[in-house]
Amino acid sequence: MECGPVGNDVELLCKTLQFEHKLFYFDLKENPRGRYLKISEKTSATRSTIIVPVDGIVWFINLVDYYINTDEHEAFSKELKIDSKVFYFDVGENKRGRFLKVSEASVSRNRSTIIIPAGSSGEEGWIAFRKILLEINEEASRLYIVSNQQSVEPSEHHPRLSDDVGAGFISGHVSQPASSSYLNIDRLIELPLHDEMGRLGLSKVIRVDQKRFFFDLGNNNRGHFLRISE
DNA sequence: ACGGCTC
């Protein structure tokens, strides 16, 4: 396991993905302002980094999904607004092949960009990238519960929680135990009013051009699901 | 071993 240099921020977990001649570093970090995922693309000559707030990880997963599942010439550019940042997703193609470009624009920094190759046989680069994000999202949700409960032994005292709660869907200022707020989702998810869910912090919205896409987490006895509505 | 990159 290779972790980047550690400053004041705490490293929670590190992963790497090597694809073609690029090396991607994924570092989940924490500081007093919150948690974020640092994604760096390293080649022999260059290194570029984007910083994704934890709440953005699930939307990254979803957007990578979109590009994996969308036909080559029907994939639109997308933008994702999180906090004060905007991430731009674009597909491109050149003689080396297809790639997904993810750019971060924030007020204070210069724009930074990572480029994820699709790969030569299908989209295995994007699929591998998504897999890492899924792993991080799952592990981050466990870490979230651990720190939120401030319990030294969460696996003994809260054995069910870690599998039931996804990161990013529980707002940071929930004062109730995560389990009780979570149990309400089944009823709330049936409500057709998106603004009602938005008010309760249970829905996320991505605006693309004139459209708005709503992402809502739910579960039932069949398992977990993410509902996307336009 | 590449190499892509308006916001």
Side-chain angles (χ1 to χ4, degrees):
Chain A
M1 180 168 69
E2 173 72 56
C3 285
V6 177
N8 292 326
D9 296 358
V10 180
E11 292 263 10
L12 298 174
L13 67 97
C14 306
K15 290 178 182 290
T16 61
L17 168 65
Q18 204 217 311
F19 191 72
E20 296 182 357
H21 91 294
K22 291 187 174 181
L23 185 56
F24 294 94
Y25 295 91
F26 300 79
D27 296 333
L28 184 70
K29 295 194 176 197
E30 183 174 57
N31 64 23
R33 294 180 55 205
R35 288 182 175 177
Y36 60 91
L37 179 64
K38 181 163 77 85
I39 305 175
S40 291
E41 171 203 316
K42 173 85 166 58
T43 65
S44 53
T46 62
R47 178 175 187 127
S48 58
T49 296
I50 60 172
I51 303 289
V52 185
V54 274
D55 289 347
I57 296 172
V58 70
W59 319 123
F60 265 62
I61 292 168
N62 217 273
L63 284 164
V64 174
D65 256 341
Y66 167 79
Y67 290 108
I68 290 169
N69 293 320
T70 303
D71 283 345
E72 194 161 335
H73 297 296
E74 294 174 3
F76 294 104
S77 296
K78 304 252 176 200
E79 59 179 75
L80 171 63
K81 298 188 173 96
I82 305 172
D83 300 338
S84 61
K85 293 182 174 184
V86 186
F87 296 93
Y88 298 93
F89 290 73
D90 302 283
V91 287
E93 184 167 11
N94 63 14
K95 58 184 181 300
R96 304 282 187 191
R98 289 216 299 152
F99 56 86
L100 175 62
K101 182 184 66 167
V102 183
S103 291
E104 172 193 338
S106 59
V107 284
S108 56
R109 294 171 170 272
N110 289 330
R111 183 187 199 77
S112 57
T113 298
I114 63 171
I115 291 176
I116 308 148
S120 54
S121 61
E123 285 144 352
E124 71 271 23
W126 297 349
I127 289 167
F129 194 92
R130 177 183 61 180
K131 180 170 181 285
I132 299 274
L133 290 177
L134 284 166
E135 291 169 2
I136 289 169
N137 192 41
E138 185 170 320
E139 292 174 39
S141 68
R142 295 197 168 87
L143 291 167
Y144 182 86
I145 296 305
V146 170
S147 69
N148 199 39
Q149 296 290 336
Q150 297 182 330
S151 168
V152 182
E153 292 165 351
S155 60
E156 282 187 29
H157 297 131
H158 310 283
R160 308 280 316 162
L161 285 180
S162 60
D163 284 330
D164 288 348
V165 180
F169 289 93
I170 306 299
S171 64
H173 43 73
V174 170
S175 56
Q176 296 175 315
S179 55
S180 65
S181 61
Y182 182 70
L183 290 175
N184 292 328
I185 292 175
D186 265 343
R187 271 173 290 155
L188 294 172
I189 208 77
E190 303 299 335
L191 293 171
L193 299 173
H194 293 117
D195 56 353
E196 179 75 359
M197 282 188 275
R199 186 175 62 77
L200 295 166
L202 297 171
S203 180
K204 293 283 184 178
V205 182
I206 294 177
R207 276 175 296 183
V208 182
D209 297 326
Q210 307 304 319
K211 294 186 175 182
R212 287 199 291 173
F213 296 91
F214 298 88
F215 296 79
D216 301 289
L217 183 69
N219 93 327
N220 55 28
N221 54 11
R222 296 283 193 91
H224 308 286
F225 58 87
L226 176 64
R227 189 185 63 175
I228 306 169
S229 52
E230 173 190 334

